[in-house]
Amino acid sequence: MDFSISLTINGVERRITFDDPRVTLLDLFRERLHLTGTKKGCDRGQCGACTILVDGRRINSCLALALSHDGASITTIEGLAKDDQLHPVQAAFIENDGFQCGFCTPGQIMSAVGLIAEGHAGTDPERVREGMSGNLCRCGAYAGITKAVIEAQKSAGEARTGEAA
Amino acid sequence: MSDIPTLSAGSHQRHGSNIGQPLTRRDGLLKVTGGARYAADNNPDGLLHAVLAVASIARGRVTHLDVEAAKAHPGVVDVMVPGNRPALASDPDEKSNPFMFRLDLLQNDRVRYAGQPIAVVIAETFEAATEGARLLAPTYETEQARTGLEGEPFAPEKVGAGNAARAQSGDVEAELAGSARTLEAVYETPAQYHNAMEPHAVVAHWQGDRLVIDTPSQGLAMAVMRVAGLFGLTPDKILVRSPFLGGGFGSKGFLSSAQILGILAAKLVDRPVKLALTRPQMFGPVGHRAPTRQTLRIGLGQDGKLTAIDHATLTASSTFDDFFEPASDISHTLYAAPAIRTSHEAVRVDTGTPLFMRAPGEATGSIALESAIDEAAETAGLDPLEFRLKNYAEAEPISGLPFSSKALRECYEQGAARFGWADRPREPRTMRDENGLLVGWGMGTATFPALMFEAEARAVIRADGSGVMETGAHDMGQGAWTALAQIAADAIGLDLTRVTFNAGSSDLPNAGIAGGSGHTATAGMALHKAGEAVIAKLADLATEDEASPLFGADNVGVIARDGKLLRRDDESRGEAFGDILKRAGLSNIEARGKAGGDNAAREHYAMHAHGAVFAEVKIDPDLCQIRTTRLVGAFAAGRIINPRLVESQLFGGMIWGVSFALHEEGIQDKRSGRIVNGDFGEYHVPVNADVPSLEAILVHEEDQLVNLLGIKGVGEIGITGTGGAIANAIWHATGKRLRRFPIRPADLLG
């Protein structure tokens, strides 16, 4: 049996048909749409590597069934930069060396964009660390991540976040 | 190389040479945009998905697999079991050298650890393969698993990467008997699992008699040889691509059973196959750090000097292969004493074979030794830093060799000053913060050997004045794409923007392995040598050519800078690379270079990086919640190629030290032999909120003996010293010595 859903992915509306109700958003992107920027680190919502924005909110895409997101508007790491212009969070991650191996990085960045949009953390390092603690980094790039989020937060007074990013 | 994304240079300010510049990562743009392609991101046409079924028992035999049920599931293409697994050219249990670890490639129905692969389900989709693996519903003939360190110990000959299992200088028993004071303590460290964020994955694609593999590898040349041996192929038929590893930490040094099974699955179905481990499958077939029980006996003179260190380690290996965590070896290098003895014993347990894991031996040994040294300082009535300085090793203990360089005193000094160590009260449980939390300060010494391996590189200078530098180096996050490119550019006197740097593929010259903190030194020296060789060739062209302003300069020599060769004695006379080549009618000129440890120097000098780590913890006196609130490390590791990346490496190591002291522990169930906490929900690694304010001071150190570039390596040293510093801070906060790691709040209660 085929299923058909409509998703707006990185600003582009797509009609997507697939034959299996078990497909998660993560596997839909990675294996069927070949949008492989979003990573699979645990497949059970424990590491945050698969974080994406759904209707502006950060979620673990490994725990989200594609079928239950008909009509959703989704931003992945591939959709963050606009017109060759990096999103402030992306630029801040490079500048502050907020990654090493880079595997958790798409999830960290999407989580940071979500956190900034939530507006709870501000530029308080403790709150940023807490708000980013759903995203594991085994290389231990946390100091750079925290600095990057704070820097992006500061420069993002004017920058738009979430879906509009 | 066409499938590997081209890396464009990041923006940077150049001040003279490339080496030493804090450039941002050249692969940064790819990594923040999702463009960096890791193994499992490859999706060749016709790809099938494979999922491993793994044993849920630790010892016994598989008696039945419901292959029919799995095959009947829509989308399942085939199920690989011992009966239909394609033939191999060599036995997976063959071990012709110590680094050839035995593999589990469905050679029979035996189970030798929980998590061992017992079948592979191949399907059109990942979902179908996953369900197919579940439907196999294996049944077993189960034997009682052997776990823990209580079995019959034996004495291995070699530990770690081939070190002698026992070493000594002086008479430890006599010194202990004659000591004013002695102490003996037993420290326990748990099994730990590497858990790189990227689970091991392989995309295998047979193209006729050729095999193309996308898989993360810390040792591309070794990977090719392993595959060649198992499949009976010549190395030129095998291409392994590994432009980015999602972390390695030692677990991707050798191809694991899982990766080879992916290649076998592709062969079975004659289509490209992707196989990625699940997170729980990372707790079995890909190595781990073995548990240890370390007994330290320490003798002290009246003057507070060490008289003896006896460091005995009991560890565990698998029942079918040898790797022994060399924890006692740390006592070879750090503290001076008239008598030192190190030894190792082991038991065999039903687990996967342990393996090199970030600072193998050094991390486990350090947390025990640094705790014991702290206890000794307390026994001697001395400040822990004063005690360490009193017992400072001017030459390497046991071997007696001088150090090629050792700026440890400067590390102690700068770290202590930055941390404010001088204000530390000696008595424990005497500091509180404004909220009433117990505060403790502790320290530890960090050390890691400065290793080098064999490597090769190729250098090309083109007629347009640009260069190509290449070696099959591995970037698992340490920053090889950037740091090695900096070395490469300097080696041929070009700005980084004029150099194409290629790495991460097995069709490039062998860059050795990314391990032992030796990759920058090893691959960097190979690039340096290749650059030197190509510049020498270019210089020959110019100095022998009457039309060149450098004609006849072969006696005074030339130097390469900014794309030009210049007379050493008169830098106003020179010629651009391109002009030399064009006049000679050449489109390019190339040369190769080799690197390896300088064995002559290594026979006469001990070569290590050093550091000092200072930790602050805060502990709730009622709930006993432990927080590491501040870490300051000062490290001397020779020449620093890129301070921005080095700071990150040191931070990463220090966070592993936090993890060692407070978080990580793989727990094996005594009844079933299974790892009961095999996922990120239960196997705790530090999250961002666990990580305190971190500082890493890069202490100046020059060393002409380790290698020409003076590089010692920084990948692992950060974990050493840190774990002990935290344990010692916990003692200082509470007055309790805890000797079993990780330290948990429950250990402080009651």
Side-chain angles (χ1 to χ4, degrees), chain B residues 2 152 395 460 545 618 737:
Chain B
S2 58
E152 187 61 38
V460 183
D545 181 349
K618 291 190 177 179
R737 282 287 175 198

Side-chain angles (χ1 to χ4, degrees), chain B residues 304-575:
Chain B
K305 285 206 166 190
L306 290 164
T307 55
I309 302 172
D310 187 20
H311 193 159
T313 294
L314 175 65
T315 184
S317 191
S318 69
T319 58
F320 58 94
D321 211 342
D322 291 344
F323 182 85
F324 304 105
E325 179 79 3
S328 297
D329 287 2
I330 193 96
S331 289
H332 293 175
T333 54
L334 272 183
Y335 300 104
I340 297 177
R341 180 167 63 194
T342 60
S343 60
H344 296 85
E345 287 193 318
V347 297
R348 296 214 179 266
V349 294
D350 294 306
T351 64
T353 304
L355 202 62
F356 300 93
M357 177 163 156
R358 201 172 193 175
E362 289 85 6
T364 31
S366 172
I367 203 165
L369 177 64
E370 291 304 314
S371 294
I373 288 294
D374 214 66
E375 297 197 39
E378 180 197 350
T379 305
L382 291 172
D383 170 81
L385 176 53
E386 191 186 345
F387 182 77
R388 282 172 173 85
L389 285 167
K390 198 180 257 295
N391 292 288
Y392 195 86
E394 300 293 350
E396 188 183 49
I398 298 195
S399 78
L401 294 175
F403 290 101
S404 61
S405 61
K406 182 179 178 180
L408 177 56
R409 268 204 186 81
E410 291 81 351
C411 295
Y412 284 142
E413 205 175 294
Q414 293 180 31
R418 182 73 199 160
F419 186 81
W421 184 258
D423 296 332
R424 176 183 180 271
R426 262 220 339 257
E427 287 301 307
R429 216 180 166 95
T430 50
M431 297 200 299
R432 298 250 179 175
D433 77 353
E434 64 281 8
N435 300 315
L437 298 179
L438 297 166
V439 179
W441 289 0
M443 69 167 296
T445 308
T447 186
F448 197 84
L451 303 175
M452 280 196 66
F453 310 101
E454 306 279 323
E456 252 190 284
R458 179 169 165 267
V460 183
I461 293 175
R462 296 186 288 217
D464 65 1
S466 67
V468 180
M469 297 290 281
E470 51 192 26
T471 184
H474 322 83
D475 198 331
M476 49 188 182
Q478 79 278 36
W481 278 117
T482 310
L484 291 179
Q486 288 176 261
I487 294 171
D490 275 6
I492 52 172
L494 283 177
D495 188 273
L496 205 46
T497 54
R498 298 288 287 153
V499 178
T500 303
F501 175 61
N502 296 321
S505 182
S506 70
D507 54 359
L508 299 171
N510 175 6
I513 59 158
S517 297
H519 201 41
T520 308
T522 302
M525 273 308 299
L527 289 161
H528 181 80
K529 289 284 190 185
E532 210 170 63
V534 80
I535 292 297
K537 274 192 174 178
L538 195 64
D540 283 348
L541 282 182
T543 57
E544 288 163 14
D545 181 349
E546 286 181 30
S548 170
L550 295 168
F551 176 67
D554 44 337
N555 287 331
V556 295
V558 297
I559 51 176
R561 185 186 302 149
D562 292 331
K564 290 181 189 144
L565 287 187
L566 309 170
R567 272 184 77 107
R568 196 177 286 279
D569 62 342
D570 177 4
E571 294 188 10
S572 70
R573 293 162 68 190
E575 191 171 27

Side-chain angles (χ1 to χ4, degrees), chain A residues 20 22-23 27 30-32 34 36-37 39-44 46-47 77-78 86 90 93-95 97 99-106 109 126 129-130 132-133 136 138-140 142-143 145-146, chain B residues 25 28-29 31-32 34 38 40-41 43 49 73 125-127 131 193-195 197-199 245-247 249 274 279-280 476-477 627 644 648-649 652 655-656 664 679-681 685-689 691:
Chain A
D20 196 324
R22 297 168 296 192
V23 177
D27 291 322
R30 290 187 51 79
E31 308 301 342
R32 293 169 190 254
H34 296 178
T36 55
K39 301 298 183 232
K40 183 185 281 190
C42 72
D43 216 10
R44 49 175 71 179
Q46 296 170 336
C47 80
I77 191 71
E78 291 94 343
L86 289 181
Q90 292 174 309
F93 265 69
I94 295 179
E95 189 52 37
D97 213 31
F99 53 90
Q100 293 184 28
C101 81
F103 195 81
C104 73
T105 311
I109 289 174
E126 266 308 291
R129 286 187 195 118
E130 199 65 40
M132 290 298 293
S133 281
L136 299 182
R138 184 60 157 160
C139 297
Y142 293 130
I145 291 168
T146 304
Chain B
R25 287 172 198 266
L29 195 61
K31 285 182 174 173
V32 302
Y38 300 81
D41 299 341
N43 290 301
H49 297 262
H73 187 73
T125 66
F126 168 72
E127 292 77 18
E131 181 64 9
Y193 290 80
H194 303 79
N195 275 308
M197 290 306 299
E198 174 201 29
L245 290 86
F249 313 115
K274 179 189 295 191
R279 182 55 55 183
M476 49 188 182
R627 301 264 295 161
R644 186 192 304 257
S648 291
Q649 281 283 95
I655 291 170
W656 275 55
E664 276 184 62
D679 63 51
F680 273 144
V685 299
V687 300
N688 202 322
V691 173

